[in-house]
Amino acid sequence: MEHENAVKEALNALYHHPDDTVRVQADRWLQNFQGTLDAWQVADNLLHDSSSNLETLIFCSQTLRSKVQRDFEELPPGAFQKLRESLTTLLKKFHKGPPKVRTQISIAVAALAVHVPAADWGDSGIVSWLRDEMNMHPEYVPGFLELLTVLPEETFNYKIAARPDRRRQFENELTSQMEPALSILTACLNITELKEQVLEAFASWLRLRHGIPGSLLACHPLVHAALSSLNCDPLSEASVNVISELIHYTASPSSGGISAQTPLIQVIVPQILSLKAHLRDSSKDEEDVKAIGRLFADVGDSYVELIATGSDESMVIVHALLEVTSHPEFDIASMTFNFWHSLQLTLTKRESYNSLGSESSMEAERNRRLHIFRPAYESLVSLVGFRVQYPDDYQGLSYEDLKEFKQTRYAVADVLIDAALILGGDTTLKILYMKLQMKLLEANAQTGNNFQEWRPAEAILFCIWAISNYVSVVEAEVMPQVMDLLQKLPQQAQLLQTACLLVGAYSKWLNATAPASDSILPSIIRILMSGMGTSEDCAAAAALAFRHICDDCRKNLSGYFEGLYTIYCMAINGAGGYKVSAEDSLNLVEALGMVVTELPLDQARSALEKLCFSVASPLEEAAKENLDKKHARELTVHIDRFAFLFRYVNHPEAVAAEINKHWAIFRVIFDVRPWDMRTMESLCRACKYAVRTSGRYIINTIGEMLAKIQFHYQQHHQPCFLYLSSEVIKIFGSDPSCADYLKNLIETLFAHTTCLMTSIKEVTARPDIADDCFLLASRCLRYCPHLFIPSPIFSPIVDCAIVGMTVQHREACHSILTFLSDVFDLEKSVNEEQFVRIRDSVIIPRGATITRILISCLAGALPSSRLDTVTYTLLALTRAYGVQAVGWAKESVSLIPRTAVTETEATKFLQGLSDVTYGADVNSLIGHAEELSDVCRRNRTVQELVQAALKPLELNLVATLS
């Protein structure tokens, strides 16, 4: 009773104590208790105790369910019978008790069935056992029905710590018992009050996708019961779930597919189509309409390939789906959006027509289908456009409401793109422009002002923006009128923001229509200038549009640099009321950089000099003051502009001249603020782009740049120094004239890094350094192996990688494993025997350790999301060292207790590894690695047992190497 009382006291404290600290302590104690062996008996006792309150019953039922799912292996052999008897008694006890408790107990019984083979339940498994229990105890049928409902659901519940083989067996056991299960449910249909529960159970069993013939299901009483319930008011939720699952079932390959299920489809589709009138019935409950919309959407999604043939029957479904799309409630209308996308893909992709053979036949059929579906997609454009219109109370929208509205707009934009792919962008544009003209005429007739009500016009302009990538750049009918209209828009923030986005989206059209567009460009630039002074959001859109126009119209704009430079200066200085943020100003820097690229070299030098001077001046002013006291943002805003200029001005000589000219201010910042991560990251980024663009032209500066990196890295350990070094290695790694100082750079950086990370704890504390260090190491393997592999630092950096293999930081872990893979795959990139010999002299003595850590990573030392990377590293090791690597793996796997991994499971994995050495498909190894991972992670106890056996964090490299 001691444990039972402790649980009750903790629950009372958790739910009723006024002190938060006490509640947190109680919650922690209860969670820890659930992991103990005593929890089995205590939870069982309290559930059987008639004095237990609801809080106790819920907690104990959850505990028992969790223990059966995760910790069944804790129980001694033969405990199954007693546990099943106890759970059955509880299921009977709570058959009319609290639903939450009954559900947890039902799930516990179902989880027990996953663990225990069918033979232990009787002749035919749990379904037959359940049928017998229901026959003997008809008064408990409701409770047993819930168990029958959750049984199929637990097939795919990976919280249950079952071995993969047993999970597959259980699925096969259930699918073989489909007909007996449906017979039980059919018998229960006679009990009127259980009809909903029976249908929910039927829907659950249909999710198994077992191949029952369509002809049998078409006349099955359960199917007819579900169909007849569709006419109930209110609509039966369970019947909707059944029909939905039937639709998915008929389209599932495991059920034989649509052709095998035609009899069933012919029964259910007409019944669904008969519900179309309810979509327009304003008296119908919204949830019922939503359920009907869901059924129509399911029909469309599941039978899209059939619908795409364009038969008369399929067009009835298409028109019904248009009816759903037209529903005023977006939640209902949007259910069909996936169908319109899937139909577009089916109609346009080549694979849909491959069976026709000849190109002419394929093209003819494609054109036939597109012609049939054009009216539907034309209607679709009209039906969805209004949904992007700002609401009347848009100014009062909360952050969450505004976020949801934006998501709605982007969802509609995707639908319009689907329409444009069927109709063609130009046709879609005409439809939208006609609607815009109608809205403007209506507004003019009502108020005498086309833009008195700006929202409808803004909505259609947004739609025109959405399809910009699909409108021909030579479209000459509508776009000139649209561009003309933009110049007449009022200074309304949202309207102007959309106009700026639209201008930027059609920058390729503006360029293609030159010289006609030359007369438009000045007025377009004025629109963008207005946008920059209207609001921050509008300024952001204008800056982005400015970038697009300068990118695509750079040749036409190259003669206007001075005017563009004036706009740029006004924007970044905030003159004229411009509201361009520092971040958005980078779009303007990029824009001018692309225009400068089009200038002849002499003019480009002058233009870039002017731009760099405007950027350097504030930095030089800051340097005259207390530079080390400045906030990082005061510096990085200017340094980032340098980075963008060096990145987007594609004149290597001009960029090299500017970095050389302004190196003095860069040097000062390196020396004064090496401790400031944000500033150093910004500075290194600028240097990276200068190196990347200038190449060998920067050779005079690179030596001092690398000297700064080496010196400051040893004191301040900034990861960005390593990243900048990676870029230098990529550009100059194979240059013989740079070999001496690159060799010195590599050895200095790596020597210091290996001293920083001598344990997994230190790697975990510095994940950014680990990430950039091993990115640099991989670059060295690729671009300067002649400097890296023979150097004395190669062996220590491999040891450092081994130490960090189990780091939990995703990017750092990926970089470490990728580096090791690159080492193992050395022959792919470096075809020199001397380097392979050096590599082997380093890897072979460490091979057993590396393999053991990799297997521990598969088995749970790393998250399962890293499985692909770990498996590839193990694959690369095996390909490089063949039978020797398999031997290392065998040694490691032999350490795992057979209670955790059976001999059969271990042999499967090792055989998959062995097969790779003989050229087998790598996918087989991936499958075996995933299965070993599942087995070792099936619950916390097993995972801890495996890790304790492999000890990946305790491996002594020195002992291994000695």
Side-chain angles (χ1 to χ4, degrees):
M1 287 298 293
E2 180 182 349
H3 289 307
E4 283 88 341
N5 290 333
V7 168
K8 288 180 179 179
E9 288 173 9
L11 285 168
N12 187 60
L14 176 64
Y15 289 109
H16 304 293
H17 202 283
D19 190 336
D20 287 345
T21 305
V22 173
R23 290 201 299 272
V24 169
Q25 290 173 345
D27 185 44
R28 189 177 300 118
W29 186 90
L30 289 166
Q31 288 184 39
N32 292 335
F33 171 76
Q34 286 180 313
T36 65
L37 195 59
D38 290 328
W40 285 100
Q41 192 62 58
V42 172
D44 187 67
N45 289 344
L46 288 172
L47 284 167
H48 285 282
D49 186 348
S50 58
S51 66
S52 294
N53 61 20
L54 181 60
E55 292 163 356
T56 303
L57 292 175
I58 291 173
F59 172 77
C60 290
S61 62
Q62 290 172 340
T63 300
L64 202 53
R65 181 263 303 156
S66 177
K67 297 297 283 183
V68 176
Q69 285 181 332
R70 307 296 299 173
D71 301 323
F72 180 69
E73 292 177 58
E74 289 181 345
L75 297 177
F80 161 67
Q81 294 291 347
K82 287 185 178 179
L83 179 59
R84 184 181 68 180
E85 288 172 11
S86 178
L87 289 171
T88 306
T89 302
L90 291 172
L91 199 58
K92 294 173 181 175
K93 174 182 177 181
F94 294 109
H95 80 284
K96 288 187 178 178
K100 289 183 179 179
V101 176
R102 184 173 64 249
T103 298
Q104 295 299 309
I105 294 168
S106 297
I107 294 172
V109 179
L112 189 61
V114 178
H115 287 295
V116 179
D120 290 1
W121 290 84
D123 294 337
S124 302
I126 187 171
V127 174
S128 296
W129 171 85
L130 188 54
R131 180 195 58 210
D132 294 341
E133 288 288 328
M134 293 171 83
N135 287 336
M136 287 188 292
H137 305 285
E139 67 275 21
Y140 301 129
V141 164
F144 289 128
L145 264 180
E146 182 151 8
L147 172 56
L148 195 59
T149 302
V150 300
L151 261 179
E153 295 168 0
E154 296 308 290
T155 307
F156 310 106
N157 183 356
Y158 285 86
K159 289 181 181 178
I160 299 175
R163 298 175 186 273
D165 278 344
R166 174 57 204 150
R167 192 180 297 281
R168 287 190 288 269
Q169 288 172 5
F170 179 68
E171 185 177 353
N172 291 333
E173 289 166 8
L174 279 197
T175 53
S176 68
Q177 292 295 298
M178 173 75 91
E179 291 188 26
L182 298 192
S183 296
I184 295 171
L185 294 175
T186 304
C188 292
L189 269 180
N190 297 323
I191 308 172
T192 306
E193 59 269 23
L194 295 181
K195 185 176 179 180
E196 285 287 293
Q197 199 175 350
V198 168
L199 291 176
E200 286 293 357
F202 181 36
S204 179
W205 278 83
L206 286 170
R207 292 184 190 109
L208 287 176
R209 306 286 188 260
H210 179 59
I212 299 177
S215 56
L216 182 62
L217 278 175
C219 57
H220 201 284
L222 289 167
V223 173
H224 282 279
L227 289 171
S228 64
S229 296
L230 287 178
N231 297 315
C232 296
D233 194 7
L235 194 62
S236 161
E237 183 180 351
S239 67
V240 171
N241 291 338
V242 168
I243 304 305
S244 178
E245 290 302 332
L246 283 169
I247 294 166
H248 296 146
Y249 178 88
T250 57
S252 169
S254 61
S255 72
I258 290 174
S259 58
Q261 298 293 334
T262 300
L264 179 57
I265 295 171
Q266 291 173 339
V267 169
I268 58 178
V269 171
Q271 290 283 343
I272 294 170
L273 292 175
S274 69
L275 300 172
K276 189 170 76 168
H278 294 308
L279 294 168
R280 297 186 298 273
D281 187 349
S282 58
S283 65
K284 199 74 176 173
D285 182 76
E286 185 179 322
E287 289 303 313
D288 285 357
V289 176
K290 192 176 291 187
I292 294 168
R294 170 190 161 196
L295 291 178
F296 279 109
D298 284 342
V299 168
D301 292 339
S302 298
Y303 306 142
V304 65
E305 292 188 3
L306 202 61
I307 293 169
T309 60
S311 66
D312 292 342
E313 294 84 357
S314 67
M315 295 312 295
V316 174
I317 298 173
V318 169
H319 292 136
L321 285 161
L322 282 171
E323 193 78 40
V324 180
T325 307
S326 69
H327 196 277
E329 286 295 326
F330 180 75
D331 287 347
I332 295 171
S334 61
M335 291 177 180
T336 64
F337 287 4
N338 187 65
F339 163 74
W340 298 115
H341 177 64
S342 299
L343 181 60
Q344 175 268 121
L345 289 176
T346 306
L347 291 171
T348 56
K349 68 182 179 183
R350 181 183 175 84
E351 292 80 1
S352 301
Y353 307 98
N354 281 344
S355 60
L356 297 174
S358 69
E359 288 290 334
S360 58
S361 299
M362 292 167 66
E363 186 63 22
E365 177 61 14
R366 183 177 184 275
N367 291 335
R368 184 191 72 83
R369 293 187 182 186
L370 289 175
H371 178 73
I372 289 172
F373 286 98
R374 284 182 70 85
Y377 277 92
E378 287 172 357
S379 299
L380 184 64
V381 172
S382 299
L383 288 174
V384 298
F386 77 94
R387 298 186 187 278
V388 303
Q389 183 171 311
Y390 273 91
D392 291 333
D393 60 343
Y394 74 96
Q395 290 179 318
L397 290 178
S398 66
Y399 173 79
E400 287 301 320
D401 288 340
L402 189 59
K403 183 179 175 182
E404 185 178 341
F405 174 63
K406 288 180 178 179
Q407 289 172 342
T408 297
R409 281 164 74 97
Y410 288 125
V412 170
D414 288 340
V415 177
L416 290 168
I417 288 170
D418 290 323
L421 286 165
I422 296 296
L423 303 172
D426 293 6
T427 301
T428 310
L429 176 65
K430 287 178 185 176
I431 296 171
L432 291 169
Y433 187 67
M434 287 174 62
K435 289 182 70 65
L436 178 58
Q437 287 181 311
M438 287 173 58
K439 293 293 182 183
L440 294 177
L441 287 171
E442 288 173 9
N444 194 47
Q446 292 173 6
T447 65
N449 183 341
N450 287 352
F451 298 106
Q452 180 73 33
E453 176 52 85
W454 59 269
R455 295 178 305 119
E458 187 280 334
I460 297 172
L461 290 176
F462 176 87
C463 294
I464 293 174
W465 165 83
I467 62 166
S468 58
N469 288 338
Y470 306 92
V471 174
S472 167
V473 293
V474 295
E475 202 283 331
E477 182 181 345
V478 174
M479 280 312 302
Q481 297 180 68
V482 172
M483 290 296 174
D484 182 62
L485 177 66
L486 295 182
Q487 300 170 46
K488 303 171 184 174
L489 296 177
Q491 300 293 302
Q492 199 285 328
Q494 283 76 17
L495 183 59
L496 196 51
Q497 180 182 349
T498 300
C500 290
L501 288 172
L502 191 150
V503 165
Y506 284 89
S507 56
K508 287 183 172 60
W509 178 87
L510 286 168
N511 181 59
T513 55
S517 63
D518 288 355
S519 60
I520 304 176
L521 276 175
S523 56
I524 292 297
I525 297 296
R526 283 196 293 274
I527 292 172
L528 300 185
M529 292 171 69
S530 295
M532 290 181 200
T534 300
S535 69
E536 286 189 11
D537 287 343
C538 199
L544 181 63
F546 197 83
R547 189 194 81 190
H548 286 311
I549 289 173
C550 288
D551 183 8
D552 291 317
C553 305
R554 58 176 76 181
K555 290 185 185 296
N556 298 326
L557 291 172
S558 59
Y560 299 95
F561 174 76
E562 292 299 329
L564 297 173
Y565 177 72
T566 302
I567 295 171
Y568 162 77
C569 290
M570 291 173 65
I572 65 170
N573 295 325
Y578 282 8
K579 298 177 171 61
V580 181
S581 69
E583 184 178 353
D584 292 321
S585 73
L586 295 176
N587 281 320
L588 303 179
V589 179
E590 181 180 341
L592 265 69
M594 291 183 287
V595 172
V596 171
T597 295
E598 290 302 312
L599 297 173
L601 181 57
D602 288 345
Q603 294 179 36
R605 283 180 186 273
S606 174
L608 182 58
E609 182 179 14
K610 182 179 286 191
L611 285 165
C612 288
F613 178 79
S614 71
V615 174
S617 296
L619 292 174
E620 290 168 352
E621 288 298 319
K624 295 175 184 176
E625 303 169 9
N626 293 326
L627 188 62
D628 58 332
K629 298 291 195 296
K630 296 285 184 181
H631 191 278
R633 188 62 182 154
E634 295 179 66
L635 305 177
T636 59
V637 65
H638 305 294
I639 300 171
D640 286 346
R641 288 170 186 161
F642 262 129
F644 269 59
L645 288 172
F646 295 158
R647 180 179 183 181
Y648 291 105
V649 174
N650 190 16
H651 281 289
E653 292 179 59
V655 170
E658 289 306 310
I659 186 67
N660 290 335
K661 183 185 300 181
H662 296 288
W663 175 247
I665 188 62
F666 278 49
R667 182 196 303 122
V668 169
I669 298 170
F670 265 125
D671 288 340
V672 175
R673 298 179 68 95
W675 45 267
D676 177 6
M677 179 178 286
R678 285 184 62 187
T679 301
M680 288 300 102
E681 285 178 347
S682 180
L683 198 60
C684 286
R685 187 160 49 246
C687 291
K688 177 187 76 171
Y689 287 123
V691 170
R692 184 179 293 180
T693 300
S694 301
R696 288 195 53 78
Y697 290 107
I698 204 176
I699 198 74
N700 295 331
T701 306
I702 201 73
E704 188 179 353
M705 186 186 294
L706 296 183
K708 290 293 179 189
I709 289 171
Q710 287 173 236
F711 177 75
H712 290 304
Y713 180 70
Q714 294 176 72
Q715 297 180 51
H716 298 285
H717 316 141
Q718 298 286 7
C720 56
F721 295 154
L722 297 170
Y723 185 71
L724 176 55
S725 301
S726 293
E727 194 65 33
V728 173
I729 291 293
K730 182 179 177 181
I731 303 297
F732 297 103
S734 59
D735 189 333
S737 66
C738 302
D740 289 341
Y741 62 71
L742 287 184
K743 185 174 186 295
N744 187 47
L745 172 75
I746 291 168
E747 292 182 0
T748 301
L749 294 180
F750 285 149
H752 194 72
T753 302
T754 54
C755 292
L756 290 176
M757 298 188 294
T758 59
S759 68
I760 186 62
K761 184 177 180 181
E762 290 173 336
V763 178
T764 301
R766 297 182 172 95
D768 292 340
I769 290 180
D771 181 20
D772 288 321
C773 169
F774 289 101
L775 284 172
L776 173 60
S778 287
R779 282 269 174 94
C780 290
L781 283 174
R782 194 170 301 123
Y783 294 105
C784 56
H786 59 291
L787 302 178
F788 182 41
I789 296 174
S791 74
I793 200 62
F794 180 64
S795 175
I797 203 70
V798 170
D799 287 341
C800 188
I802 295 171
V803 166
M805 286 167 69
T806 55
V807 68
Q808 299 300 299
H809 187 275
R810 184 179 59 189
E811 286 80 12
C813 181
H814 184 267
S815 295
I816 290 169
L817 293 175
T818 299
F819 165 68
L820 288 172
S821 300
D822 290 342
V823 171
F824 305 147
D825 285 336
L826 191 62
E827 290 92 338
K828 289 184 177 181
S829 56
V830 181
N831 192 20
E832 291 195 33
E833 191 174 332
Q834 59 167 323
F835 296 153
V836 175
R837 281 201 305 271
I838 296 171
R839 179 205 63 182
D840 290 348
S841 70
V842 172
I843 297 299
I844 289 175
R846 298 161 172 79
T849 297
I850 294 171
T851 308
R852 186 163 153 188
I853 297 175
L854 284 171
I855 289 174
S856 73
C857 291
L858 288 177
L862 288 178
S864 56
S865 58
R866 316 267 170 84
L867 202 57
D868 287 348
T869 308
V870 174
T871 303
Y872 181 79
T873 309
L874 184 60
L875 173 66
L877 179 68
T878 306
R879 284 194 299 217
Y881 296 101
V883 175
Q884 195 172 15
V886 176
W888 296 332
K890 191 171 183 179
E891 290 174 22
S892 299
V893 172
S894 69
L895 299 172
I896 303 174
R898 287 296 165 256
T899 54
V901 177
T902 65
E903 192 68 40
T904 302
E905 290 163 340
T907 302
K908 272 186 184 179
F909 171 71
L910 292 171
Q911 187 60 52
L913 209 57
S914 180
D915 290 345
V916 168
T917 65
Y918 298 104
D921 182 9
V922 297
N923 289 327
S924 63
L925 174 60
I926 293 171
H928 292 308
E930 287 175 349
E931 193 141 311
L932 179 71
S933 178
D934 286 346
V935 168
C936 294
R937 298 171 192 260
R938 63 186 185 271
N939 63 33
R940 185 181 299 174
T941 303
V942 171
Q943 189 167 332
E944 289 173 354
L945 183 66
V946 173
Q947 294 303 309
L950 294 173
K951 297 185 174 70
L953 303 182
E954 301 172 23
L955 292 178
N956 189 322
L957 285 171
V958 177
T960 304
L961 299 178
S962 64

